[in-house]
């Protein structure tokens, strides 16, 4: 960016640092077809918020989708289809290239730009890139961490919400706290 700007490069760097500091821009890792991604717990929150889901679909279609003309139920179905693609991407540690090939029809049917799709997932924290090594975790621990992030914690929280507990009460649940603590311990060991 600094090289392509007509401004002095030190000014550009200073401006970018300020924008980063005030959370006005975000840096994401490079996107390559050989990359692998996994879901984070944040992924599960998007289906709970219709407005956030609509924002996601609007972004991943590069602004071409306008669900305002659809009934709420139809908008929700489109959001579900788009969000399900994140689960397919993270499934079995697929490379982005394989995902693109396997889901080409669905991506085209929804008008989803692959670059926008991955960018949105990274920016919103739904996805994180999986490196080829898993740090100091063995396979069993890496699988446990994945399961905690994508199944155990979200399923427990969903169950508790269905029982009428508030978000704060759900987070205070002993089992949730225990699983989150274990997940954090594994994440720290992974780094």
């Amino acid at each position: 960016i600094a090289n392509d700007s007509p401004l002095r490069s030190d000014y550009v760097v200073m401006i970018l640092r300020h924008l980063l500091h005030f959370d006005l821009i975000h840096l994401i890792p490079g996107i390559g077809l050989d990359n692998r991604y996994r879901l984070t717990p944040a992924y599960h929150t998007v289906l709970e918020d219709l407005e956030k889901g609509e924002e996601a679909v609007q972004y991943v279609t590069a602004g071409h989708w306008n669900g305002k003309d659809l009934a709420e139920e139809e908008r929700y179905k489109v959001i579900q289809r788009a969000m399900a693609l994140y689960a397919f991407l993270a499934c079995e540690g697929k490379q982005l290239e394989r995902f693109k090939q396997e889901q080409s029809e669905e991506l085209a049917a929804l008008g989803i730009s692959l670059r926008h799709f991955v960018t949105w997932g990274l920016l919103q924290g739904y996805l994180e890139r999986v490196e080829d090594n898993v740090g100091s975790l063995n396979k069993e621990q890496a699988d446990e961490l994945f399961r905690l992030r994508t199944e155990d914690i979200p399923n427990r929280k969903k169950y508790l919400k269905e029982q009428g507990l508030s978000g704060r009460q759900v987070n205070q649940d002993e089992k949730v706290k225990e699983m989150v603590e274990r997940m954090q311990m594994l994440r720290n060991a992974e780094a």
Side-chain angles (χ1 to χ4, degrees), residues 3-191:
N3 292 338
D4 292 338
S5 173
L7 299 174
R8 286 181 25 194
S9 63
D10 57 328
Y11 287 174
V12 174
V13 170
M14 179 184 64
I15 291 166
L16 290 172
R17 284 184 179 156
H18 284 291
L19 292 171
L20 278 169
H21 175 77
F22 292 106
D23 259 352
L24 297 172
I25 62 172
H26 298 276
L27 295 178
I28 59 171
I31 300 170
L33 291 176
D34 59 336
N35 291 356
R36 299 175 195 276
Y37 298 92
R38 66 175 159 229
L39 295 176
T40 69
Y43 163 78
H44 299 280
T45 62
V46 74
L47 293 175
E48 299 169 4
D49 184 348
L50 183 63
E51 191 174 306
K52 188 70 168 172
E54 288 175 340
E55 185 181 356
V57 175
Q58 183 73 18
Y59 187 92
V60 302
T61 60
H64 297 293
W65 184 73
N66 182 4
K68 300 297 181 194
D69 299 334
L70 300 174
E72 185 173 313
E73 184 177 317
E74 291 302 312
R75 289 194 320 258
Y76 190 69
K77 285 179 184 178
V78 172
I79 293 165
Q80 285 181 315
R81 285 175 63 193
M83 293 303 105
L85 287 170
Y86 284 108
F88 288 123
L89 172 59
C91 180
E92 302 169 9
K94 292 179 186 172
Q95 286 184 325
L96 189 56
E97 175 70 27
R98 183 171 160 212
F99 166 79
K100 179 182 174 185
Q101 292 168 350
E102 291 177 357
Q103 298 299 327
S104 62
E105 288 181 24
E106 184 71 353
L107 289 166
L110 293 171
I112 291 177
S113 154
L114 189 61
R115 181 176 54 87
H116 285 85
F117 178 76
V118 175
T119 299
W120 181 260
L122 292 169
L123 287 173
Q124 298 302 310
Y126 306 151
L127 290 177
E128 60 187 16
R129 187 170 166 192
V130 176
E131 301 299 328
D132 288 336
N133 62 21
V134 289
S136 61
L137 297 182
N138 62 36
K139 177 159 177 35
E140 184 179 298
Q141 290 169 322
D143 289 345
E144 179 185 4
L145 177 59
F146 181 79
R147 198 175 46 256
L148 283 167
R149 286 178 171 160
T150 61
E151 296 173 17
D152 297 349
I153 294 172
N155 289 344
R156 176 71 178 168
K157 286 185 169 189
K158 181 181 177 188
Y159 168 76
L160 293 171
K161 283 186 178 183
E162 288 171 351
Q163 300 303 310
L165 274 68
S166 69
R168 173 176 260 182
Q169 291 171 318
V170 166
N171 289 334
Q172 294 303 317
D173 177 72
E174 286 303 315
K175 191 168 183 180
V176 169
K177 287 170 40 177
E178 188 179 294
M179 288 189 290
V180 168
E181 186 177 313
R182 175 69 177 157
M183 179 183 70
Q184 289 172 339
M185 185 186 82
L186 290 169
R187 284 187 78 175
N188 290 339
E190 179 185 43

